[in-house]
């Protein structure tokens, strides 16, 4: 976890939630419990391994303890609850923004940022399922927010408008990642060919527009694999959002 000096020196951190203090490295775990072979980083990494393999539904303090080879009670030296653990996992799993376009115009930069976030979220199938109950507070999530705002630096937008743009684009990214996850799970579980199923259900008189879309191949993925098709569809939606933002900037 990041060292405490990543936070401004003049801020009082005593009232911050414990999960936030742990994420920023400004609170050490308690003194009870095993000291050798276990750390907050190991606990969080083990929890990510469990969630990657079994999903959030399979995540529990006892399951993480088993993954580590320690008792369940030993984990409470490092985190107070499963909710705190999930918050730390979500921040650690998304990582720092890297490999993003930082030159050129704002549109290239924001597009790169959006694709980077989409791929980072999609790297862990459980990530889109994490409940968003508050604004981002972890160091990695705030680094992504910082990078998004920096991409709009030369747009002439007000600071509050920049924040609105970045948050709305991020919500689009997370929503599309969640949609992709649900669609992939459904396809694996049922192996349903949607383009062939719909004509069996839709009467041409009641659903002429849908029947026309089917006939026009709108529901066909073609020769692309699911992941490629889903990202292609994501980029189409992203481009339309960027078109709207371009009008907002007066470009």
């Amino acid at each position: 976890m990041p060292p405490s000096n990543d936070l401004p020196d003049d801020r009082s951190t005593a009232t911050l939630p414990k999960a936030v203090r742990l994420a920023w490295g400004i609170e050490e775990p308690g003194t009870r419990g095993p000291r050798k072979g276990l750390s907050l980083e190991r606990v969080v990494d083990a929890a990510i391994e469990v969630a990657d393999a079994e999903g959030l539904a399979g995540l529990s303090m006892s399951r993480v303890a088993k993954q580590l080879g320690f008792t369940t009670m030993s984990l409470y030296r490092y985190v107070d609850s499963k909710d705190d653990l999930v918050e730390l996992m979500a921040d650690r799993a998304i990582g720092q923004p890297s490999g993003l376009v930082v030159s050129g115009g704002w549109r290239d930069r924001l597009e790169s940022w959006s694709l980077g976030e989409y791929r980072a979220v999609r790297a862990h199938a459980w990530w889109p399922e994490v409940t968003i109950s508050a604004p981002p507070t972890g160091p990695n999530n705030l680094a992504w927010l910082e990078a998004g705002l920096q991409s709009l630096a030369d747009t002439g937008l007000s600071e509050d408008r920049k924040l609105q743009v970045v948050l709305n684009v991020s919500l689009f990214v997370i929503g599309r990642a969640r949609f992709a996850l649900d669609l992939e799970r459904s396809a694996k579980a049922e192996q349903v060919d949607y383009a062939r199923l719909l004509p069996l259900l839709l009467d041409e008189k009641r659903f002429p527009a849908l029947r026309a879309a089917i006939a026009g191949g709108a529901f066909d993925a073609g020769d692309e694999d699911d992941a490629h098709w889903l990202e292609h569809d994501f980029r189409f939606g992203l481009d339309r959002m960027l078109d709207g933002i371009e009008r907002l900037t007066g470009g």
Side-chain angles (χ1 to χ4, degrees):
M1 300 295 172
S4 59
N5 60 12
D6 279 357
L7 280 179
D9 293 335
D10 59 350
R11 283 195 58 184
S12 172
T13 59
T15 59
L16 291 173
K18 184 171 182 179
V20 177
R21 300 198 302 271
L22 289 171
W24 285 92
I26 58 179
E27 175 165 325
E28 293 297 325
T31 57
R32 293 184 177 182
R35 296 189 180 185
K36 294 183 179 180
L38 197 58
S39 65
L40 179 61
E41 288 82 358
R42 280 201 64 198
V43 171
V44 176
D45 286 343
I48 291 173
E49 290 173 3
V50 171
D52 283 346
E54 303 173 25
L56 283 182
L59 183 73
S60 66
M61 298 294 276
S62 60
R63 179 65 185 85
V64 176
K66 181 179 179 181
Q67 183 83 357
L68 289 162
F70 286 89
T71 65
T72 302
M73 289 305 299
S74 67
L75 269 60
Y76 288 99
R77 174 178 179 250
Y78 301 91
V79 289
D80 286 348
S81 66
K82 177 183 171 181
D83 288 344
D84 283 357
L85 179 57
V86 171
E87 187 173 339
L88 293 168
M89 290 165 56
D91 190 71
R92 190 165 178 83
I94 200 170
Q96 289 278 310
S98 62
L100 304 183
V101 171
V102 294
S103 59
W106 70 264
R107 182 163 180 147
D108 290 338
R109 297 194 300 268
L110 187 58
E111 179 182 38
S112 175
W113 178 85
S114 305
L115 285 168
E117 185 181 54
Y118 179 75
R119 290 165 181 168
V121 169
R122 292 271 284 139
H124 298 277
W126 53 269
W127 202 101
E129 295 181 336
V130 175
T131 301
I132 301 175
S133 57
T137 54
N140 290 333
N141 276 291
L142 285 176
W144 278 97
L145 181 56
E146 170 71 15
L149 290 171
Q150 285 187 6
S151 74
L152 299 171
D154 59 0
T155 59
L157 295 174
S158 64
E159 296 304 322
D160 64 327
R161 194 67 76 220
K162 290 176 189 174
L163 182 60
Q164 283 183 310
V165 167
V166 170
L167 291 181
N168 276 277
V169 172
S170 187
L171 287 172
F172 170 75
V173 168
I174 294 170
R176 289 300 309 223
R178 177 63 186 266
F179 168 75
L181 169 66
D182 289 344
L183 205 61
E184 287 173 339
R185 285 177 174 169
S186 176
K188 288 179 181 178
E190 301 178 17
Q191 295 293 318
V192 173
D193 187 335
Y194 203 56
R196 293 185 179 180
L197 173 67
L198 285 181
L200 302 177
L201 303 174
L202 303 179
D203 178 81
E204 192 167 355
K205 291 183 178 179
R206 289 183 61 195
F207 301 99
L210 272 171
R211 290 295 296 252
I214 294 166
F219 292 94
D220 297 336
D223 296 329
E224 299 175 327
D225 59 68
D226 288 342
H228 185 85
W229 177 82
L230 286 167
E231 183 162 315
H232 177 79
D233 198 52
F234 164 77
R235 295 188 70 153
F236 174 83
L238 176 62
D239 282 342
R240 303 294 71 77
M241 287 199 77
L242 295 176
D243 288 344
I245 297 166
E246 190 166 356
R247 292 192 63 182
L248 183 66
T249 65

